[in-house]
Amino acid sequence: MNIVNLLFQYGDTPLHAAAEGGFINIVKLLLERADIDPKKENKSNKTLLHSAVRGGNLDMVELLLERADIDPNGENKYGDTPLHAAAEGGFINIVKLLLERADIDPKKENKFGNTPLHAAVDGGSINIVKLLLERADIDPKKENKVCDDVLYRTVQL
């Protein structure tokens, strides 16, 4: 799929595409422009930070988190935050970075009641599951809206 099709299909901007692709110099250049809105979401309400997280580039995520106009808790249309995306994507360094921030809620539920721990289980990342379970504020028995807890979801995989 070429970039033009991507932009039309998902409503991504060139900034989203550059962030997800890991092109940090292009992102920096675009962010310098007054006519580029870093808060613009795509058709799925995916934010720029979601795009960077999905690309798995820690430097890109760090760059964006330094900006006051980037919401680290922005939700997509399913209510997933960048932490959900990092946990499901298996990006442990990004998960660690996000968990260091006081403004990130590691128990945040999406519209289906899934927490970042549910997302980590869905993504199959044992190291992220372990990392989240080391926290005292994470409830491994937390059920989502269809009454799946983490153990049940793990067995289903």
Side-chain angles (χ1 to χ4, degrees):
M1 176 178 288
N2 68 33
I3 191 71
V4 174
N5 288 338
L6 177 71
L7 296 177
F8 287 121
Q9 185 175 359
Y10 300 109
D12 282 345
T13 66
L15 184 57
H16 281 95
E20 192 159 344
F23 304 113
I24 200 159
N25 289 331
I26 295 173
V27 168
K28 287 178 181 178
L29 177 70
L30 292 172
L31 288 173
E32 289 174 2
R33 296 182 55 105
D35 59 343
I36 299 286
D37 181 5
K39 294 185 266 182
K40 182 163 177 51
E41 299 173 346
N42 74 1
K43 291 178 183 176
S44 299
N45 299 102
K46 184 172 76 173
T47 67
L48 182 58
L49 188 56
H50 281 97
S51 295
V53 167
R54 292 265 183 223
N57 186 309
L58 181 63
D59 292 335
M60 185 73 69
V61 173
E62 288 174 333
L63 171 75
L64 296 176
L65 287 174
E66 291 172 0
R67 297 179 58 93
D69 56 358
I70 298 294
D71 180 3
N73 294 298
E75 298 178 11
N76 66 15
K77 73 178 183 179
Y78 305 109
D80 289 329
T81 65
L83 181 57
H84 284 89
E88 186 172 4
F91 303 117
I92 194 161
N93 290 334
I94 295 174
V95 170
K96 287 178 181 178
L97 174 69
L98 293 171
L99 290 175
E100 289 172 359
R101 295 179 59 103
D103 58 352
I104 298 287
D105 181 1
K107 301 176 291 184
K108 174 80 172 133
E109 295 179 26
N110 68 11
K111 292 180 180 178
F112 307 102
N114 293 327
T115 65
L117 180 59
H118 288 93
V121 169
D122 287 347
S125 176
I126 187 73
N127 291 327
I128 294 176
V129 170
K130 287 179 182 178
L131 177 69
L132 290 169
L133 288 175
E134 289 173 358
R135 296 178 58 97
D137 57 350
I138 299 293
D139 180 6
K141 298 179 202 157
K142 171 75 177 97
E143 294 182 352
N144 63 15
K145 291 184 178 177
V146 293
C147 299
D148 289 349
D149 63 20
V150 172
L151 179 60
Y152 178 80
R153 291 175 81 86
T154 303
V155 171
Q156 294 301 306
L157 296 174

